[in-house]
Amino acid sequence: KRTSLITSPADGRLPASTADSRLRSEKRATARALTLGVEDRSLTERCLTFGIPSLPRAYNSNLQILQTPTTVALVSEMIHDARVVPLDGRAHVRDELRQWHGDARGHWDGDTLVVETTNFSGHGNFRGSTESLRLVERFTRLDASTINYVLTVDDPGTWEAPWTVMVPFAKSDQALFEYACH
């Protein structure tokens, strides 16, 4: 009977934004009003990516999970973003290599798939986050039709404290549909 997807902090509220984060938000709002060309628009608005993590949206929120012995692929229905997550214990890429979806590495903690993602670029930011963003996703199968998804977001440049959300993912036998973005 939770009233919030946020489970930490305990009050169910998003931690306060840092002063730097508020300043970046104001600059983004001003820049949006001054757009001169397509390159000035966001990646989402340009239909390139909705970014990660894949939190529920109004529609096309389905996530397909595919697994091999050494890799997990997470395919989002929205724009068909696909993340390939190595499970072989390799280290994250060098710090200077930055990507829209970051650099994901996974491992099993008992029955839970843990995916840690770092090395984000400044272009694919999640809720105004910085390149220091670190996401830890935990996928735990509760039963034949439910996966418990727990996401911890940590970015000291954006929020005053880390925060965690928990969302149950229900299994669907329906196909992922094409998402045609124009």
Side-chain angles (χ1 to χ4, degrees):
K1 298 184 180 183
R2 290 183 294 131
T3 58
S4 175
L5 296 178
I6 298 174
T7 59
S8 176
D11 66 4
R13 297 179 185 268
L14 196 62
S17 298
T18 63
D20 186 48
S21 174
R22 291 189 296 274
L23 182 60
R24 287 192 318 270
S25 180
E26 290 171 15
K27 285 181 180 179
R28 277 192 312 275
T30 301
R32 243 180 301 196
L34 303 173
T35 5
L36 300 174
V38 68
E39 63 279 354
D40 297 324
R41 306 309 292 179
S42 72
L43 297 176
T44 299
E45 193 172 354
R46 292 165 56 197
C47 300
L48 296 173
T49 180
F50 268 68
I52 68 163
S54 301
L55 293 174
R57 298 178 176 97
Y59 61 95
N60 287 28
S61 292
N62 295 317
L63 179 70
Q64 185 175 34
I65 302 172
L66 307 161
Q67 180 182 342
T68 73
T70 60
T71 309
V72 169
L74 304 168
V75 181
S76 173
E77 186 171 28
M78 187 67 83
I79 300 188
H80 299 293
D81 281 332
R83 296 185 333 171
V84 178
V85 182
L87 301 174
D88 58 7
R90 72 180 77 169
H92 283 281
V93 297
R94 297 186 320 266
D95 192 53
E96 62 271 14
L97 297 175
R98 299 291 168 159
Q99 303 173 71
W100 291 347
H101 292 169
D103 180 54
R105 296 292 182 261
H107 68 273
W108 289 98
D109 181 9
D111 291 340
T112 298
L113 170 63
V114 180
V115 178
E116 179 182 355
T117 308
T118 61
N119 294 57
F120 287 91
S121 75
H123 298 287
N125 61 19
F126 169 65
R127 300 182 62 98
S129 61
T130 68
E131 291 183 354
S132 299
L133 176 65
R134 178 177 172 267
L135 300 178
V136 177
E137 299 166 283
R138 300 177 69 81
F139 299 83
T140 307
R141 185 167 223 166
L142 300 179
D143 56 42
S145 61
T146 312
I147 290 178
N148 190 42
Y149 177 70
V150 178
L151 166 70
T152 300
V153 179
D154 188 6
D155 182 2
T158 304
W159 296 282
E160 292 182 358
W163 49 283
T164 302
V165 299
M166 184 175 70
V167 182
F169 287 168
K171 181 178 180 180
S172 171
D173 292 329
Q174 297 188 12
L176 295 184
F177 288 98
E178 175 185 5
Y179 180 76
C181 190
H182 305 287

